[in-house]
C-alpha cells in the first residue's frame, strides 16, 4: 500500500510514511472488509460513512506539514484510521464524530491499539472544540458546504486547516491562518461524505453538545 499508493504518487515525508506503515488499517474496517483494507479505495464502515482511501489520508496529513509537537483537531472521526495516523505525527489529537456508534467503535479500537494521545468526543464538528482551542492544525474528514467559521477561529496563527469544501464534488483546500489574514489554495478535486449536524444546516442554531 505505502510503496504503490503513497510513495509511488509522490508523498515522501519519512514520518508520515512510517505512520502509514505502522497503523493496522484492517483493524479500523468491518471484519467482512478486512481483505480489502489496503486497497486504494474508500470502504463503507456503516451509518452511511466511509474510511477514506489511503492516498487521500496520506495527502491530507501531508498538507498539515506536521513536525511532531502539534495539537490537532480532527472533524469526522469515522473509523478512527486517520486519527491513528495523525496520532503518530502530532503530540495530541482531539477528534469529533457526530454518530455515537462510530465514535464508540473508534474509541474502542484506538484504546486497544494504545493511542493514549487521542481524545474522542461525540458532537457536531461544525462548532469545533472551543475549550481545547487553539489548534496548530485542523483536518476535516467530512465535507461542509463552506469552511465553518468556528474552525477558523479555533486555528492558531500560522496554523493550517485542510478540508474538502463543496457539495457532490469538493475542492480540497488548504487554509493557512496568518497575522494578516487567511491564505487559501486548492489542491485537488475530491469526493467525501457531507458534513451533517444542526450547526451545518443552521449555523445560528443551538447545539446540544457545545453551548
Amino acid at each position: 500500500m505505502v510503496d504503490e499508493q503513497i510513495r509511488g504518487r509522490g508523498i515522501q515525508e519519512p514520518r508520515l510514511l512510517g505512520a502509514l506503515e505502522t497503523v493496522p488499517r484492517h483493524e479500523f474496517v468491518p471484519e467482512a472488509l478486512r481483505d480489502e483494507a489496503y486497497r486504494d479505495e474508500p470502504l463503507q464502515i456503516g451509518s452511511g460513512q466511509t474510511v477514506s482511501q489511503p492516498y487521500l489520508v496520506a495527502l491530507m496529513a501531508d498538507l498539515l506539514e506536521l513536525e511532531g509537537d502539534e495539537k490537532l483537531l480532527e472533524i469526522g472521526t469515522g473509523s478512527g484510521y486517520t486519527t491513528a495516523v495523525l496520532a503518530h505525527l502530532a503530540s495530541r489529537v482531539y477528534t469529533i464524530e457526530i454518530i455515537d456508534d462510530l465514535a464508540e467503535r473508534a474509541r474502542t479500537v484506538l484504546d486497544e491499539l494504545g493511542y493514549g494521545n487521542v481524545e474522542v468526543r461525540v458532537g457536531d464538528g461544525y462548532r469545533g472544540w472551543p475549550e481545547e482551542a487553539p489548534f496548530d492544525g485542523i483536518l476535516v474528514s467530512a465535507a461542509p458546504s463552506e469552511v465553518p467559521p468556528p474552525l477558523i477561529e479555533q486555528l492558531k496563527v500560522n496554523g493550517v486547516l485542510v478540508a474538502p469544501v463543496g457539495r457532490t464534488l469538493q475542492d480540497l483546500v488548504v487554509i493557512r491562518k496568518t497575522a494578516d489574514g487567511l491564505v487559501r489554495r486548492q489542491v485537488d478535486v475530491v469526493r467525501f461524505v457531507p458534513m451533517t449536524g444542526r450547526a451545518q444546516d443552521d449555523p445560528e442554531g443551538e447545539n446540544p453538545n457545545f453551548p
Side-chain angles (χ1 to χ4, degrees):
M1 179 191 83
V2 174
D3 284 343
E4 295 179 8
Q5 302 171 32
I6 312 301
R7 189 181 283 111
R9 295 172 75 176
I11 292 178
Q12 301 294 328
E13 206 288 313
R15 290 195 318 116
L16 174 55
L17 295 175
L20 293 162
E21 290 172 339
T22 300
V23 176
R25 183 173 164 90
H26 61 276
E27 296 285 356
F28 294 90
V29 303
E31 189 169 351
L33 297 178
R34 288 191 170 185
D35 288 346
E36 303 176 39
Y38 297 93
R39 296 173 62 177
D40 189 27
E41 59 186 39
L43 296 174
Q44 296 292 327
I45 57 173
S47 302
Q49 306 299 302
T50 62
V51 54
S52 296
Q53 69 186 92
Y55 173 71
L56 264 184
V57 173
L59 175 61
M60 293 175 75
D62 197 37
L63 291 169
L64 287 172
E65 301 179 9
L66 301 174
E67 296 182 356
D69 59 351
E70 294 89 354
K71 180 168 74 168
L72 301 182
L73 175 63
E74 179 192 25
I75 305 301
T77 313
S79 71
Y81 174 70
T82 301
T83 316
V85 172
L86 295 176
H88 283 274
L89 303 173
S91 176
R92 190 80 183 164
V93 180
Y94 295 84
T95 182
I96 303 172
E97 172 56 54
I98 198 169
I99 301 172
D100 297 53
D101 290 347
L102 291 183
E104 188 55 39
R105 191 183 315 156
R107 182 186 288 114
T108 298
V109 175
L110 291 163
D111 286 348
E112 289 176 349
L113 293 175
Y115 289 100
N117 62 334
V118 171
E119 187 165 346
V120 180
R121 168 181 276 185
V122 177
D124 188 342
Y126 188 96
R127 295 189 187 277
W129 200 318
E131 61 267 41
E132 292 295 343
F135 297 97
D136 299 290
I138 300 176
L139 188 149
V140 183
S141 294
S145 56
E146 298 291 343
V147 177
L151 300 187
I152 296 297
E153 293 171 7
Q154 292 170 33
L155 190 63
K156 282 185 179 179
V157 173
N158 295 321
V160 174
L161 180 148
V162 178
V165 180
R167 296 293 186 181
T168 304
L169 287 177
Q170 301 97 28
D171 295 330
L172 181 61
V173 301
V174 179
I175 296 175
R176 183 177 294 276
K177 187 177 187 178
T178 75
D180 298 320
L182 303 177
V183 178
R184 174 171 173 154
R185 63 187 175 97
Q186 179 183 341
V187 175
D188 206 344
V189 176
V190 294
R191 186 190 296 271
F192 277 75
V193 297
M195 178 181 283
T196 60
R198 288 177 62 187
Q200 164 72 2
D201 298 330
D202 178 12
E204 302 301 322
E206 294 182 0
N207 183 297
N209 298 290
F210 299 104

